[in-house]
Amino acid sequence: SDIVLCSTVSSSYLNESGMDLLSAYSSDDSSSAAKNQPQQHGDKKKEISRTVIVSIEDSKINTFQRSVPHIRGNWSGHVFSVASENQGDYLYECGEESIERFRCALERSGWSGNVLSHLCGGLHISFTRPFFLQLASIESFQNDLKDILLYERACSLSVEKEIVLTNEEGTRSFFGWKLSENQWLNAITSHVDSVMLKYKQRKYYDLPIFHVSLASVNGAVPHNVQNFLDSLEDCLVLLSSLRIQEIHCSFGTTKHYSFKLS
């Protein structure tokens, strides 16, 4: 059976009144109370940065910026896998605590704004960059993908560390779990790349950083956010046996295909 190992901060610790991970891991514990108060500079108060975790389901928030111009008839595509949900709520609790550490790291760096949680959509691992196909090509694309994945087997993956990545345009930063090196990931990517090239789409990155996407924010975040996350080694989420049993392909919000692995 699959085993999930998770070493995290307890929820009671995260929610302790008057204190969060930001103050708990401050470099100067004696001044943590002062850091939670507005700083006086003459007659002006220094505004404290605040970050808020929101769900991707909240359609009222203008979250994503279009990085390419809209072309009539184009459907945005995505090929990805999802960690199996048979590991229960425990896996998602680990994700929530990781996102809370990310929020604290952002706030500590002076960044403020909304942290968009991706958990409601499942724990995604991407195998393509954003791409677009015309409607007439979608059916043949998914058939080609299904054929090339026919003999691929399900796989278990392990988490190496928490990581922050920024897209090529610098319009959005993503937070997630970096996955340990695995030949299966490279094999799936190679298959997907061959189909992408057939349809004159860009293949995946030459040196991909495979990761489970947990959250994202607008723009590029300060570099010291990753340093702060790396300093919380005692709280790092350690997960083994993230079970991947299907590859998914979606276009827009209405077309979704799933390919079960043997």
Side-chain angles (χ1 to χ4, degrees), residues 156-175:
S156 293
L157 305 173
S158 298
V159 171
E160 181 179 315
K161 62 180 291 186
E162 293 169 333
I163 192 169
V164 181
L165 301 166
T166 301
N167 65 6
E168 293 172 296
E169 299 82 10
T171 58
R172 196 153 195 87
S173 296
F174 297 85
F175 168 72

Side-chain angles (χ1 to χ4, degrees), residues 8-260:
T8 59
V9 181
S10 69
S11 58
S12 60
Y13 178 63
L14 286 171
N15 297 324
E16 185 176 350
S17 177
M19 187 177 191
D20 61 13
L21 283 176
L22 176 60
S23 58
Y25 287 90
S26 170
S27 60
D28 183 1
D29 291 337
S30 64
S31 63
S32 61
K35 289 179 181 177
N36 288 328
Q37 300 296 325
Q39 301 295 312
Q40 297 286 345
H41 293 279
D43 294 331
K44 296 182 179 179
K45 291 182 178 181
K46 183 179 179 181
E47 187 174 312
I48 298 178
S49 62
R50 285 289 178 264
T51 59
V52 180
I53 298 173
V54 297
S55 169
I56 202 169
E57 292 179 320
D58 191 343
S59 59
K60 295 179 181 179
I61 297 173
N62 184 15
T63 304
F64 296 98
Q65 300 177 25
R66 183 182 292 276
S67 58
V68 296
H70 174 68
I71 298 177
R72 184 179 177 84
N74 267 3
W75 288 64
S76 61
H78 186 204
V79 179
F80 59 98
S81 60
V82 180
S84 296
E85 296 182 2
N86 60 3
Q87 296 174 94
D89 294 337
Y90 192 54
L91 185 59
Y92 287 86
E93 289 173 5
C94 292
E96 288 174 348
E97 293 191 5
S98 276
I99 295 172
E100 173 62 13
R101 277 192 292 281
F102 179 47
R103 185 197 68 78
C104 291
L106 288 168
E107 198 163 271
R108 187 173 190 263
S109 74
W111 190 95
S112 62
N114 291 320
V115 177
L116 189 75
S117 170
H118 298 179
L119 292 180
C120 66
L123 300 174
H124 286 199
I125 303 166
S126 292
F127 295 107
T128 58
R129 311 186 200 206
F131 71 100
F132 300 88
L133 288 182
Q134 290 282 303
L135 180 61
S137 299
I138 290 177
E139 193 65 26
S140 61
F141 180 93
Q142 71 90 17
N143 282 329
D144 288 341
L145 198 57
K146 179 176 65 176
D147 290 344
I148 204 167
L149 295 171
L150 184 60
Y151 299 107
E152 285 296 330
R153 296 184 176 275
C155 181
S156 293
L157 305 173
S158 298
V159 171
E160 181 179 315
K161 62 180 291 186
E162 293 169 333
I163 192 169
V164 181
L165 301 166
T166 301
N167 65 6
E168 293 172 296
E169 299 82 10
T171 58
R172 196 153 195 87
S173 296
F174 297 85
F175 168 72
W177 294 328
K178 183 179 183 295
L179 298 170
S180 300
E181 289 294 325
N182 185 287
Q183 290 184 351
W184 181 89
L185 289 169
N186 293 324
I188 296 295
T189 303
S190 179
H191 289 326
V192 176
D193 279 349
S194 67
V195 177
M196 293 288 286
L197 292 173
K198 179 179 179 180
Y199 289 81
K200 296 181 172 54
Q201 302 296 315
R202 292 188 302 171
K203 66 177 187 176
Y204 205 41
Y205 303 99
D206 290 333
L207 297 173
I209 301 175
F210 295 107
H211 62 284
V212 176
S213 180
L214 298 177
S216 62
V217 298
N218 278 329
V221 301
H223 294 297
N224 59 354
V225 170
Q226 183 66 62
N227 295 335
F228 180 65
L229 291 168
D230 291 342
S231 72
L232 300 181
E233 293 180 356
D234 292 341
C235 304
L236 180 65
V237 173
L238 301 175
L239 296 164
S240 65
S241 296
L242 294 179
R243 191 69 176 165
I244 307 301
Q245 301 183 91
E246 292 182 327
I247 302 297
H248 301 267
C249 177
S250 65
F251 289 93
T253 59
T254 59
K255 295 186 179 298
H256 188 99
Y257 307 91
S258 298
F259 314 111
K260 192 170 183 63

